[in-house]
Amino acid sequence: GGAVYVEDEADSTATDCIFDGNTSDLDGGAVYVDDDEGSMMARGCTFNGNTSHRNGGALRNKGDSTLINCTISGNKADQMGGAVRNNVGDTKISHSTITNNTAGNRGGATSSGAYVGIRNCIIIGNTDNSGDGHHNFTGCVDPEGYNLVGDTTGAQCKPWQATDIVNATYSGLHPLGDY
């Protein structure tokens, strides 16, 4: 990870922090959780302008990661998961905003081969350059309700809940900045 690397059975917690402008030549522009026994908890954090030259512009997860009340915006992965790439463990995201992230291949917001649970999140305006239309998601997403979501193409696993607003076309969100 460009800022934090969590290995083996380690547990990491970040509270009210800013991960801004980090770069990883491999995975996890800001954070890389590299073990199925490791974990990362981020609460009240901002992930902005991070770059991974492979997967997970903000976070690459192979363990158990939880993001609560976070803003994930303006991150880039050259391959999969402009914001988050999860392929082994569980990622839970709640009360968070994921917007304006870009993946070179798949999943501008999330790319997953494992569980990604989302609850009470805004996920809109992410892009990928694959040409297959999976702008926000590719792979397994478990919507747990109360989400505002743009394009849902590519989201698999479980159906959207009645409390989710899906395929929204405009949320009024702009890139992070001083306006």
Side-chain angles (χ1 to χ4, degrees), residues 75-83 100-111 125-138 151 153-154:
N75 301 286
K76 178 183 179 241
D78 288 348
Q79 294 179 14
M80 294 187 278
N100 297 313
N101 299 287
T102 303
N105 187 359
R106 291 180 158 238
T110 67
S111 173
N126 301 286
T127 59
D128 73 14
N129 297 319
S130 67
D132 63 6
H134 295 175
H135 296 294
N136 281 314
F137 309 103
T138 201
D151 176 30
T153 306

Side-chain angles (χ1 to χ4, degrees), residues 148-167:
L148 171 65
V149 181
D151 176 30
T152 60
T153 306
Q156 303 168 0
C157 283
K158 301 209 175 171
W160 295 97
Q161 303 297 313
T163 58
D164 294 319
I165 299 171
V166 297
N167 296 312

Side-chain angles (χ1 to χ4, degrees), residues 2 38 42-43 47-48 57 65 77 85 100 107-108 121 126 131 138-139 142 148 152-154 167 173 175:
R43 182 182 301 272
F47 296 82
N48 181 60
S65 292
R85 171 68 177 145
N100 297 313
C121 290
N126 301 286
T138 201
D142 183 2
L148 171 65
T152 60
T153 306
N167 296 312
L173 294 176

Side-chain angles (χ1 to χ4, degrees), residues 58-179:
L59 169 67
R60 170 67 186 265
N61 182 52
K62 288 183 170 180
D64 290 318
S65 292
T66 303
L67 306 173
I68 300 170
N69 198 28
C70 291
T71 299
I72 307 168
S73 178
N75 301 286
K76 178 183 179 241
D78 288 348
Q79 294 179 14
M80 294 187 278
V84 176
R85 171 68 177 145
N86 183 64
N87 68 325
V88 176
D90 293 342
T91 299
K92 297 176 184 175
I93 307 169
S94 66
H95 300 87
S96 296
T97 299
I98 303 174
T99 189
N100 297 313
N101 299 287
T102 303
N105 187 359
R106 291 180 158 238
T110 67
S111 173
S112 181
Y115 173 87
V116 175
I118 58 170
R119 180 175 180 78
N120 200 26
C121 290
I122 299 170
I123 303 175
I124 196 165
N126 301 286
T127 59
D128 73 14
N129 297 319
S130 67
D132 63 6
H134 295 175
H135 296 294
N136 281 314
F137 309 103
T138 201
C140 187
V141 175
D142 183 2
E144 297 173 0
Y146 306 99
N147 299 294
L148 171 65
V149 181
D151 176 30
T152 60
T153 306
Q156 303 168 0
C157 283
K158 301 209 175 171
W160 295 97
Q161 303 297 313
T163 58
D164 294 319
I165 299 171
V166 297
N167 296 312
T169 56
Y170 179 73
S171 69
L173 294 176
H174 298 281
L176 293 177
D178 294 324
Y179 294 100

